Amino acid sequence: MLTKRIIPCLDVTLDRAGGCVVKGVEFVDLKEAGDPVELAKRYNEEGADELVFLDITASAHGRETMIDVIERTADEVFIPLTIGGGISSIDAIRQILRAGADKVSVNTSAVKNPDFIKEASDIFGAQCIVTAIDCKRNLDIKNNPDKTILELEDGTPAWYEVVIYGGREATGIDAVEWARKAEELGSGEILLTSMDRDGTCAGYDLPITRKLSEELDIPIIASGGVGNPQHIYEGFSIGKADAALAASIFHFREYSIKEVKEYLKERGIPVRL
């Protein structure tokens, strides 16, 4: 049985020398959480299976700074490193992989130009390409009969709408359909973030996580909403995710990665200790 992965996520803002990890709620109200390289070293030592860095500034200047952060991190940690945020060209992917990253995460650029996934996958291999999908619950099912309708925890029917530009723009695109298309185009993984849950510590958005896990053959990384180890357990046991991404509970030392993994192992979830 494949072990489930625990992946700390570092949202990095690059408006200061060396970058800074921040955490917000529903993509806003950011507060500082520490130095990206130092946090990455800590998570490597604690037993994280992978790391995700998201460049949330993603300007041209920020991209240059991010390359420096990647190089410094790759020198210090020895687990897979995924980089995302504003990646929209083959050259950018090439630079990031050369700097020491193992995978890149594409989001808005892929929604705008789906063939970008295929082009990147053909050049670098599907194992290097993660499609990040940010989505939001939409209760308007009457005017959206073509969408994938799921039942929420309280029985309310809803569909999940893809949002881009850090959640600032709704697209009208059905998240389930988009995930299927990303897989067909050659994406190796899906990083699924529910905006409704991001930073809320209320647990993963299980209906959409489970749907994608059941529908797709590629791994699903659950993201958005972890407040305690039980939420991660539910992401695996109910959401059927292949990996669990979390930020706040690790950044602010509410729980260590080892504590989370021991909790999961006691409940029958296969993890690497």
Side-chain angles (χ1 to χ4, degrees):
M1 183 182 291
L2 287 174
T3 56
K4 302 292 188 179
R5 292 171 287 151
I6 303 299
I7 307 176
C9 179
L10 296 85
D11 290 340
V12 182
T13 180
L14 301 167
D15 49 9
R16 65 159 65 182
C20 180
V21 176
V22 295
K23 190 69 193 89
V25 177
E26 294 182 17
F27 295 11
V28 295
D29 297 331
L30 304 178
K31 63 179 180 178
E32 296 188 0
D35 175 78
V37 179
E38 290 304 313
L39 277 175
K41 284 170 61 179
R42 190 179 103 204
Y43 295 142
N44 182 71
E45 291 162 2
E46 282 187 10
D49 297 293
E50 297 184 17
L51 291 172
V52 169
F53 276 25
L54 297 180
D55 171 359
I56 63 170
T57 46
S59 64
H61 171 69
R63 175 64 61 224
E64 292 168 11
T65 312
M66 194 63 173
I67 294 295
D68 174 64
V69 173
I70 297 164
E71 289 174 341
R72 291 189 293 121
T73 303
D75 285 341
E76 299 283 354
V77 307
F78 307 98
I79 53 179
L81 179 61
T82 300
I83 306 296
I87 298 169
S88 58
S89 71
I90 294 301
D91 186 56
I93 295 175
R94 187 173 285 113
Q95 286 184 47
I96 289 165
L97 295 178
R98 280 179 178 164
D102 299 276
K103 310 176 196 177
V104 297
S105 169
V106 294
N107 190 333
T108 299
S109 58
V111 174
K112 293 285 189 181
N113 175 24
D115 286 338
F116 182 46
I117 297 173
K118 182 173 183 356
E119 185 183 5
S121 180
D122 287 347
I123 292 171
F124 302 107
Q127 78 284 351
C128 289
I129 309 303
V130 179
T131 299
I133 299 177
D134 296 337
C135 64
K136 196 169 178 61
R137 294 176 172 189
N138 190 320
L139 302 181
D140 181 10
I141 62 170
K142 183 179 178 182
N143 296 311
N144 292 280
D146 58 329
K147 301 299 193 290
T148 306
I149 308 301
L150 302 180
E151 189 176 289
L152 304 182
E153 295 89 345
D154 63 358
T156 302
W159 63 282
Y160 285 79
E161 183 172 12
V162 174
V163 293
I164 55 176
Y165 295 119
R168 292 187 295 274
E169 183 178 314
T171 65
I173 297 169
D174 178 71
V176 178
E177 287 301 317
W178 173 229
R180 288 191 193 115
K181 186 171 184 179
E183 180 179 39
E184 290 169 7
L185 289 166
S187 181
E189 286 184 286
I190 300 293
L191 170 54
L192 175 70
T193 303
S194 167
M195 260 199 79
D196 300 283
R197 294 301 179 94
D198 179 71
T200 63
C201 299
Y204 292 123
D205 198 320
L206 297 175
I208 184 64
T209 303
R210 185 182 181 107
K211 180 65 175 177
L212 293 195
S213 297
E214 291 176 341
E215 288 273 328
L216 275 59
D217 292 325
I218 58 176
I220 305 299
I221 305 168
S223 168
V226 171
N228 56 52
Q230 182 180 340
H231 292 152
I232 295 180
Y233 171 73
E234 290 170 350
F236 291 137
S237 61
I238 301 172
K240 298 188 177 182
D242 299 275
L245 184 143
S248 299
I249 66 168
F250 297 139
H251 296 344
F252 302 116
R253 296 184 184 271
E254 294 167 32
Y255 299 93
S256 70
I257 291 166
K258 185 180 180 186
E259 285 173 327
V260 168
K261 286 191 170 185
E262 287 175 345
Y263 178 94
L264 294 170
K265 190 173 182 64
E266 287 170 2
R267 285 155 183 78
I269 302 295
V271 292
R272 179 182 65 86
L273 281 171

